[in-house]
Amino acid sequence: MARRTTSSSTGSSPGPRNRTPQPLPRRRRTFGDFLKAFFAFVALVVLVVGVPGALAVMVGWPLPHGVPSLDWLQQEITVGTFVHVLTVVVWLAWAQFTACVLVEVKAALSGVGMPGHVPGSGPSQLLARQLVAALLLVGATAASLTPGLSQLGHSMEGNQKGTVAAAQQTPGGLFGQQQEQAAADTAAAIAEQAAHAASHADSGSTAKQGDTKYYRIQPPEGRHHDSLWEIAQRHLGDGRRYKEIYQLNKDRTQPDGSKLSEASLIRPGWILEMPGDAHGGELVEMPDEAPKVSEQVQQQIHDYAKTGDHQQGGGSQQGGSGTQQGGDRDTAHIHVPQQRPSSDQAGSDQGSGNQQHEQAGSEESGFSFGLPEALVGAPLLAAGLLGALGRRRRQALWQSALGAVGGRRGMEPPVPTGSAADAQDALLVGADPEGVRLLDLSLRGLAAALAAESRPLPTVYAAWLSGNGDLHLQLAQPAGKPPAPWQLGQDQTFWMLARTDAERYEDVDTAAPYPGLVSLGAMDDSRLLLNLESVPGIVSLSGSESDRAGVFASVAAELATNGWSDRMTITLVGFGQDLTPLAPNRLRHLDDIEALVETMEAETRQRRGALGAAGHDSVLTGRTGPAQHTRWAPHLVLLAAEPSGEDAVKLAELAADASRLGIGYLVGTESGDLPGAAWEMEITSQGKLLAPLLGLELDAQLLPVAQQRAVVELFVEADPERESTNASAPPFLVDVSEQGRPAVYARLVGPYEIIGLETPDGERSPLLHEALALLLLHREGVHPRVLSSALWPRGVTDDVRDALVERLRDWLGNDPDGTPRLGTDTTGRLTLAKSVVSDLDVLRSLYHEATQGKGVNSRAVRGRLLTDALVLVRGPLLADRPQGRYGWLTHEIIDAQLPLLVADIGLALSAFHLEKDRAEKAIEALNAALGSAPGDERLWNELLRATHATGDSERLKRLAADLVARSGARGLPPRTEALLDELLPTWRSGVAAVG
């Protein structure tokens, strides 16, 4: 299968290298090879040149020289007529075959992409392919004189280092050389070596463990090139053992003077030392070489063998298990970006995800501390889901406040239970909202800086988020020097932004430049995001159906909720119908591939036309232009069901130009052999995401079915249109009578105060206060891991967390019956006793009693309860919280709940007073509520009515003028304008006079 490749420097020097081709010993060709090539050449000349020449000489022009008349159709059909008709058919067949030859020659010489499919060609293109391959069988020997071309398919101009070299210096070496699938078997081995090895195989002898063996990389056979993966597959029985071969030969000087520095970069004629258990007819054993091997090759092997111990430091101890060879030395193949030793923060900025992941593995069994690790270990996905869930819940609150849904006004959404509760806790533990924020700011800042310099956005294949928070963008090709504060990475194809520089970015009004980035997995402490819309073709994912489902669900969920995208369309086929509640505006589900092909054909035509009309060559140039906010949003297709052969060809044709149009395809396949696949990945049952030809071996990011259902349940429960009868009561009711005085009373609404406890001494006091506030806001209980991630977002060890819990337990003390006020429920969650109460609990309970309890049947009780509730409001929640703490409040919706609750209390108390024509009391209640909910339109409208009830028109005019001034350029809301027209028809002129 053809893939796009780029050349690369193999040297370690940062400067340009000498690319002069070095002649290598050629592989000997047999007489049969030359005979096949000769006949192929003759056949091509005859078919391409001889056929049209013969037709022109013997038949001439077969068509009429002028426009035929009606009489021409009535003439007698002669032999000449038949000859001319057949001539036209032959001319058409010749044109089709010639097109096939040109397509195959172009693909063979360039090594880029699959050969284009000539419509209706069928056997003609197959014949052309065989003839071209036979001809190039001999020509490949000459190609070996130019390693950059023969190995990579094409080279970059000048002395630029290519994408491949850069890729191997980052985690995963993502875009290393992408080897092509062989259309024929690997080139025949050197005859003498083959005969020698075959004789040993026939006699039943096996290589002894520890024997030194060598393999000489073969010249390309047609369009097939050797790769370490295929060599390991043939001679070690497992392609994944390619790392052993790499480690044995890394940085050793080859016969042409170059060195093996990237596992995906090997050249014809190079010699490779093999593990002792290698087998096969292409190997040469040392020191007893096959006697018929040329002296030149023997000398090269001898010279190469001498460099082993010196270069490898004892690396000649070969063989054994692949695990042993590929363990600690894997970092030689995958170069992680060097951490900057600039500050202490670099060591502590590992992020909560890694620390918490380590902590998760050490949880002991005393309680059910386990959480869905798939969500805990996916910080960007968890942050996106948590942010989208919060927005969904706020929308439900606001709609309920406006009366869209009855019975939920001012109250909390339903408290999740069971697997949904575990999923929510896992999101809270795993989420990295700060990382998402910095990623979004960095990408938009880069786009704005490039636009200011009138430079286009470079094509980005992937992004790596390193452990210390640095961001590395991997470009498709060098794009010059990046704008400050971005820097060049270890190669021209890498742009890097340090976390400290990203933190200085501010919001900019520009479109998201790379919305198609999505997390695939992690390697060590670095996380890979692949840009699906930039792939030059289809990304295929092989593996079992259940394993693929976890990857597809994770990709879909993150694309639907991530924080670094504006708008996009995500089409799901073959899965994901139940995922649409995550983002109904982004996700859509199609029933079958036929509907997908029809949809994408229309979409592709539309986007090509739009780009042409706008004068853009790709969506990237459009995103930095004047129309950046109105078009060029990506369309990403996730096809989990394996397409048929015909459908696969159609998708391949659509995907050929997809990267330019902002369309990406991720397609599942059982076999891994998918036409048009530019990048191939495999998901294993152990959760590893493999792409050996890309140099990837990641811990895959998955969303298994059980966690998928739990997450969807959270979103369904928070649906603004979903009516719930259980949400009308607060989750924790307290006794608001004199007998219900609590033992510990915390005031959270306004400045934070605690009554009933002594203030802890020392520096631990703020931490204990914050832990208590978190528990008071979650009366249903707090998972210990949620508590630790909230208080220590960068991670903490279990012993430190447990010590804090014990201090908190000692501080709160026990109830009179000896029961600790800080307990643990059956699920291991930390819970507070009923004797520990906050003013927020009291506020909710008073409002509930006034509107749904005792106050319903007693006007006097209702008025007293509402008045007592409003007195509790002293300002915003935790008004004096120290800077840098309580960051977990960003995950909460209490900032939306509290103003709505206070507004509901103020409105209810205002209505209570207006029933008795006490307008001044109503105004006093409304003004008190506005102190905590200044943006609630309902309070302002009710204040207008109460002021109108006083009969003071001047006071009403001043209030109207104040409202207009507050509204600014946006103007008054329509309902407020309509109310003013009713209460004060001359308000517009009056406001102008007051102004």
Side-chain angles (χ1 to χ4, degrees):
M1 186 173 301
R3 298 175 181 83
R4 188 179 302 272
T5 58
T6 54
S7 63
S8 170
S9 167
T10 58
S12 58
S13 163
R17 64 184 178 90
N18 186 357
R19 301 177 64 98
T20 304
Q22 301 294 326
L24 299 177
R26 305 187 197 179
R27 173 191 156 189
R28 297 177 181 176
R29 297 296 183 182
T30 65
F31 177 74
D33 292 336
F34 288 98
L35 191 62
K36 291 179 182 178
F38 173 75
F39 283 121
F41 175 75
V42 171
L44 285 173
V45 170
V46 170
L47 292 174
V48 176
V49 179
V51 169
L55 290 174
V57 172
M58 299 179 63
V59 180
W61 183 252
L63 299 177
H65 294 282
V67 179
S69 62
L70 185 60
D71 295 337
W72 181 81
L73 297 176
Q74 298 175 352
Q75 291 179 2
E76 180 182 359
I77 298 178
T78 64
V79 174
T81 305
F82 275 111
V83 171
H84 286 156
V85 170
L86 291 176
T87 302
V88 172
V89 173
V90 174
W91 271 109
L92 293 176
W94 170 84
Q96 183 190 58
F97 178 78
T98 303
C100 294
V101 171
L102 294 176
V103 167
E104 293 295 327
V105 169
K106 178 181 180 298
L109 293 179
S110 67
V112 181
M114 287 190 64
H117 176 68
V118 179
S121 58
S124 297
Q125 189 160 4
L126 178 60
L127 175 61
R129 183 174 305 158
Q130 292 172 341
L131 293 175
V132 171
L135 182 61
L136 293 181
L137 182 65
V138 174
T141 306
S144 65
L145 296 177
T146 311
L149 178 61
S150 65
Q151 177 66 10
L152 299 178
H154 71 284
S155 61
M156 302 180 66
E157 294 181 3
N159 291 327
Q160 301 273 19
K161 293 182 181 180
T163 305
V164 179
Q168 294 299 336
Q169 298 175 21
T170 58
L174 176 56
F175 302 103
Q177 176 193 2
Q178 304 173 17
Q179 301 292 348
E180 302 180 12
Q181 179 65 34
D185 293 331
T186 307
I190 299 176
E192 295 81 2
Q193 297 173 341
H196 175 75
S199 64
H200 279 273
D202 293 339
S203 63
S205 64
T206 57
K208 297 179 181 180
Q209 190 72 8
D211 287 348
T212 305
K213 302 175 184 178
Y214 293 88
Y215 174 82
R216 197 155 178 271
I217 298 173
Q218 303 301 301
E221 182 79 25
R223 297 173 58 231
H224 173 72
H225 301 263
D226 246 344
S227 71
L228 289 187
W229 178 277
E230 293 177 344
I231 295 170
Q233 186 71 41
R234 291 196 306 271
H235 300 296
L236 300 177
D238 185 357
R240 299 179 191 178
R241 293 184 62 186
Y242 74 94
K243 296 179 183 178
E244 299 178 43
I245 305 175
Y246 172 76
Q247 294 296 341
L248 289 172
N249 298 275
K250 173 179 171 291
D251 294 331
R252 295 170 65 178
T253 303
Q254 292 290 337
D256 63 353
S258 56
K259 297 180 180 181
L260 174 65
S261 58
E262 284 87 29
S264 57
L265 287 179
I266 58 176
R267 295 179 178 176
W270 278 8
I271 297 168
L272 298 178
E273 184 176 345
M274 300 291 289
D277 61 338
H279 55 81
E282 300 171 348
L283 301 177
V284 178
E285 292 188 19
M286 294 290 290
D288 300 324
E289 308 90 27
K292 294 184 180 181
V293 173
S294 68
E295 293 183 2
Q296 183 184 18
V297 173
Q298 287 190 36
Q299 186 60 44
Q300 289 176 352
I301 294 177
H302 269 295
D303 294 342
Y304 188 74
K306 294 177 183 179
T307 65
D309 293 338
H310 172 71
Q311 293 287 345
Q312 298 293 96
S316 59
Q317 298 174 357
Q318 313 159 21
S321 75
T323 304
Q324 182 179 3
Q325 294 280 353
D328 296 337
R329 296 191 292 178
D330 281 0
T331 53
H333 167 54
I334 301 169
H335 299 272
V336 181
Q338 268 193 324
Q339 306 296 331
R340 297 170 296 102
S342 57
S343 67
D344 297 337
Q345 185 176 4
S348 61
D349 268 348
Q350 296 300 320
S352 60
N354 296 324
Q355 295 279 358
Q356 291 154 0
H357 183 73
E358 295 172 6
Q359 158 189 342
S362 62
E363 296 288 6
E364 299 296 336
S365 62
F367 299 105
S368 177
F369 277 11
L371 290 176
E373 296 301 326
L375 295 173
V376 172
L380 303 184
L381 169 62
L385 289 170
L386 201 60
L389 182 61
R391 290 190 295 272
R392 182 72 57 85
R393 287 173 171 170
R394 287 181 175 85
Q395 184 182 4
L397 284 171
W398 294 328
Q399 290 195 15
S400 67
L402 296 175
V405 179
R408 292 181 64 177
R409 178 173 300 177
M411 296 298 139
E412 292 190 0
V415 177
T417 59
S419 60
D422 289 340
Q424 178 172 277
D425 287 342
L427 294 177
L428 290 168
V429 172
D432 182 15
E434 181 65 8
V436 171
R437 187 184 72 86
L438 291 179
L439 176 61
D440 184 43
L441 287 177
S442 302
L443 295 177
R444 293 180 194 268
L446 174 64
L450 290 171
E453 298 177 5
S454 300
R455 295 171 60 186
L457 287 169
T459 299
V460 169
Y461 278 158
W464 285 95
L465 283 174
S466 61
N468 62 3
D470 293 345
L471 174 61
H472 301 256
L473 295 183
Q474 191 155 1
L475 313 184
Q477 58 187 9
K481 184 178 179 181
W486 288 79
Q487 307 169 24
L488 282 175
Q490 61 257 357
D491 187 88
Q492 293 287 335
T493 55
F494 280 85
W495 288 0
M496 190 273 289
L497 181 68
R499 181 187 177 98
T500 53
D501 292 327
E503 289 171 343
R504 291 195 286 266
Y505 263 121
E506 297 180 354
D507 290 329
V508 292
D509 184 24
T510 189
Y514 303 111
L517 286 169
V518 64
S519 303
L520 289 185
M523 176 182 295
D524 300 327
D525 61 347
S526 297
R527 185 162 299 274
L528 168 68
L529 290 87
L530 181 68
N531 189 7
L532 281 180
E533 67 167 336
S534 72
V535 179
I538 293 174
V539 179
S540 70
L541 178 66
S542 61
S544 69
E545 184 176 358
S546 59
D547 293 330
R548 296 200 316 264
V551 176
F552 273 99
S554 171
V555 170
E558 184 170 299
L559 288 173
T561 61
N562 72 50
W564 54 88
S565 302
D566 295 324
R567 297 180 303 111
M568 69 169 62
T569 300
I570 308 160
T571 299
L572 312 180
V573 185
F575 82 108
Q577 188 170 8
D578 53 344
L579 288 175
T580 52
L582 300 183
N585 294 331
R586 285 192 181 185
L587 291 170
R588 69 174 179 180
H589 179 267
L590 295 180
D591 294 330
D592 52 39
I593 300 178
E594 182 179 354
L596 172 66
V597 171
E598 181 180 352
T599 300
M600 297 315 299
E601 285 177 345
E603 175 94 2
T604 300
R605 287 194 301 269
Q606 188 273 333
R607 290 198 172 218
R608 283 174 178 161
L611 279 178
H616 298 307
D617 57 352
S618 75
V619 295
L620 290 179
T621 56
R623 283 180 189 156
T624 55
Q628 57 176 307
H629 294 291
T630 58
R631 59 176 65 181
W632 320 127
H635 186 166
L636 304 175
V637 176
L638 308 181
L639 174 59
E642 183 169 11
S644 65
E646 182 180 354
D647 290 331
V649 171
K650 292 180 181 178
L651 289 175
E653 292 173 351
L654 290 172
D657 196 30
S659 60
R660 187 178 68 90
L661 305 176
I663 302 174
Y665 295 87
L666 177 62
V667 181
T669 173
E670 287 283 352
S671 62
D673 185 13
L674 188 69
W679 299 339
E680 294 178 335
M681 299 184 295
E682 176 190 359
I683 178 66
T684 70
S685 58
Q686 291 77 33
K688 292 289 186 179
L689 189 67
L690 306 177
L693 300 182
L694 299 177
L696 282 181
E697 185 172 345
L698 306 173
D699 293 323
Q701 179 171 295
L702 305 171
L703 186 59
V705 175
Q707 283 76 60
Q708 176 184 329
R709 291 173 179 168
V711 168
V712 171
E713 181 181 342
L714 291 172
F715 278 79
V716 170
E717 288 292 330
D719 190 346
E721 305 301 325
R722 178 184 175 88
E723 295 190 18
S724 175
T725 58
N726 299 324
S728 58
F732 178 69
L733 288 171
V734 300
D735 185 356
V736 294
S737 66
E738 288 295 328
Q739 292 76 23
R741 186 177 299 274
V744 178
Y745 182 65
R747 305 179 73 180
L748 305 179
V749 185
Y752 191 2
E753 299 177 14
I754 298 179
I755 301 171
L757 293 176
E758 294 183 359
T759 302
D761 295 330
E763 298 179 353
R764 297 191 178 98
S765 178
L767 203 60
L768 291 172
H769 279 74
E770 185 175 357
L772 179 57
L774 177 63
L775 290 166
L776 286 167
L777 292 177
H778 290 277
R779 302 303 306 224
E780 72 278 9
V782 176
H783 197 287
R785 295 176 66 184
V786 174
L787 177 68
S788 61
S789 66
L791 300 181
W792 296 280
R794 291 180 179 174
V796 69
T797 56
D798 296 348
D799 56 341
V800 174
R801 179 202 63 203
D802 295 340
L804 172 77
V805 172
E806 289 305 316
R807 290 191 191 95
L808 183 60
R809 183 175 283 115
D810 293 341
W811 181 42
L812 292 174
N814 300 332
D815 282 334
D817 61 358
T819 303
R821 292 176 181 143
L822 177 61
T824 307
D825 65 11
T826 57
T827 66
R829 288 176 169 82
L830 301 171
T831 58
L832 292 174
K834 293 184 178 180
S835 58
V836 182
V837 174
S838 73
D839 55 354
L840 185 59
D841 297 326
V842 176
L843 188 68
R844 288 166 169 162
S845 299
L846 287 171
Y847 178 66
H848 176 73
E849 283 294 320
T851 57
Q852 301 182 51
K854 299 176 182 178
V856 174
N857 299 319
S858 173
R859 171 181 167 80
V861 171
R862 182 168 73 254
R864 177 176 58 81
L865 292 173
L866 290 174
T867 301
D868 291 346
L870 202 56
V871 169
L872 292 176
V873 181
R874 301 174 301 127
L877 186 76
L878 298 168
D880 59 350
R881 59 180 180 266
Q883 186 177 7
R885 303 209 64 88
Y886 296 86
W888 48 270
L889 281 173
T890 58
H891 299 316
E892 309 283 342
I893 61 169
I894 186 63
D895 59 340
Q897 289 173 298
L898 181 59
L900 288 176
L901 177 59
V902 172
D904 284 346
I905 295 172
L907 291 169
L909 188 56
S910 172
F912 172 81
H913 289 305
L914 287 177
E915 288 177 1
K916 296 296 184 178
D917 296 326
R918 294 196 291 262
E920 292 296 336
K921 287 287 186 180
I923 292 173
E924 182 181 345
L926 292 169
N927 282 326
L930 281 169
S932 294
D936 198 308
E937 181 188 358
R938 299 172 301 157
L939 290 175
W940 289 106
N941 291 348
E942 202 62 27
L943 185 59
L944 287 172
R945 293 189 180 95
T947 304
H948 179 264
T950 63
D952 188 343
S953 59
E954 291 300 321
R955 186 177 180 182
L956 185 59
K957 289 180 181 179
R958 289 194 297 272
L959 179 59
D962 185 27
L963 274 176
V964 172
R966 287 173 179 269
S967 63
R970 294 177 300 177
L972 293 174
R975 284 183 293 188
T976 302
E977 281 194 3
L979 180 61
L980 278 174
D981 288 338
E982 174 65 24
L983 301 179
L984 188 65
T986 61
W987 69 275
R988 289 180 173 83
S989 58
V991 166
V994 172

